[in-house]
Amino acid sequence: MPVLLLAQVGIEDFLEQELASEERHEYYNGKITVMAYASDNHELIVANIVRELGNFFKDQPYRVYPSNRMLHIPTTERFYYADAILVKGKPEFFNYKKKMKATLNPCTIIEVLSESTEGKDRGEKWQGYRKIPSLQEYVLIAQNEIYIEVFRKTVTEEEKEIWLNEYYDANDQSIWIAGQAILLSEIYRKVDFGSA
C-alpha cells in the first residue's frame, strides 16, 4: 500500500487533508496511506454482509456502517476505514471541527482480505483494534475462496481478556455476529471466485 507522505504528519494536518480529499486515506503514527483499490468480489462481500446485518438489526439498538465510516483508536493515534463496523447502542465519536466524525466504539469490525491488505489487516490493524474497549468481534473474510476467521473476546475468571479464534470454510456454515447467525452462502452471494 503506497505511503502518501514520507514526512511525519500530525493528526490535525491529516484530518484537514482528509476533510478536503476526494479519496480516502488511513493514518498510523504520523504516516498517511491511500486506500487500496477494491475488487468486484470485495465490494459484493461488503454489500452482502452490510445488508444481512442491516436486516437483522433494523429494529434493534445497533448501527451498521460500511467502509466510508472512519474509525479512530484514541490510545494509538490511528485512523482507519474498516470494510464494515457494527456499533451497539449510542455511537461515540471523535469530532473534528464538528465537520468530521470518527467512530470510537465498534462492537464488531469486519475486514475483507485482499493480497494488498491482508498483512495490514492481520498485523497493524488487528494490533490496534484489540485496544478498543468496546470491541467484541473481529471478522476477516477471504474474497478468493470461502474462508472466514472470527476472533471473539472473552474474559477469564482472572478477568484477563483473551481472543478466541474460529474458522469457517463451507457455504452451509453460519458465523455468529453480535448473536445473529449469517450463512456463508449469503456472505458470498454472487461472488465469482474465478474473477478474484
Side-chain angles (χ1 to χ4, degrees):
M1 190 171 294
V3 174
L4 184 64
L5 300 173
L6 297 176
Q8 290 290 101
V9 176
I11 289 175
E12 188 161 337
D13 290 335
F14 161 70
L15 292 170
E16 281 295 328
Q17 177 183 321
E18 194 67 4
L19 191 57
S21 180
E22 292 183 13
E23 58 187 3
R24 294 176 301 142
H25 305 87
E26 295 184 318
Y27 180 87
Y28 172 51
N29 290 348
K31 300 286 186 189
I32 298 174
T33 55
V34 179
M35 293 293 294
Y37 164 79
S39 70
D40 187 58
N41 280 357
H42 182 284
E43 293 302 284
L44 279 171
I45 292 167
V46 171
N48 289 342
I49 199 149
V50 166
R51 181 186 64 247
E52 290 295 308
L53 291 173
N55 287 337
F56 283 136
F57 295 118
K58 65 184 176 185
D59 295 322
Q60 296 182 42
Y62 287 88
R63 293 175 188 233
V64 181
Y65 296 100
S67 58
N68 286 326
R69 176 83 252 143
M70 184 186 282
L71 177 64
H72 177 47
I73 307 167
T75 59
T76 65
E77 293 193 356
R78 297 182 196 195
F79 290 84
Y80 294 121
Y81 292 91
D83 290 316
I85 62 174
L86 183 64
V87 175
K88 181 179 182 180
K90 185 176 180 181
E92 298 172 12
F93 298 110
F94 170 89
N95 293 299
Y96 180 68
K97 295 187 177 179
K98 297 187 180 181
K99 297 177 186 175
M100 178 183 283
K101 293 182 178 182
T103 299
L104 295 171
N105 63 327
C107 63
T108 303
I109 297 175
I110 299 163
E111 296 283 10
V112 178
L113 304 175
S114 67
E115 287 182 15
S116 64
T117 65
E118 184 170 357
K120 184 175 182 177
D121 292 337
R122 291 182 179 281
E124 172 191 315
K125 282 188 169 184
W126 182 216
Q127 179 189 44
Y129 290 161
R130 286 192 305 253
K131 296 177 182 177
I132 300 172
S134 60
L135 189 67
Q136 298 298 310
E137 299 163 325
Y138 184 46
V139 182
L140 297 170
I141 304 174
Q143 65 172 302
N144 57 355
E145 64 178 329
I146 297 173
Y147 184 78
I148 298 177
E149 289 182 58
V150 180
F151 294 86
R152 291 188 206 288
K153 183 165 62 177
T154 188
V155 180
T156 66
E157 290 179 7
E158 297 81 25
E159 297 187 13
K160 180 180 178 183
E161 292 181 356
I162 58 172
W163 289 89
L164 302 177
N165 191 313
E166 304 165 6
Y167 304 85
Y168 303 88
D169 59 4
N171 246 349
D172 60 350
Q173 291 179 313
S174 294
I175 64 167
W176 289 82
I177 296 178
Q180 294 290 337
I182 303 176
L183 277 166
L184 270 66
S185 59
E186 292 300 324
I187 293 170
Y188 286 104
R189 181 177 290 276
K190 297 185 181 179
V191 172
D192 178 6
F193 295 118
S195 67

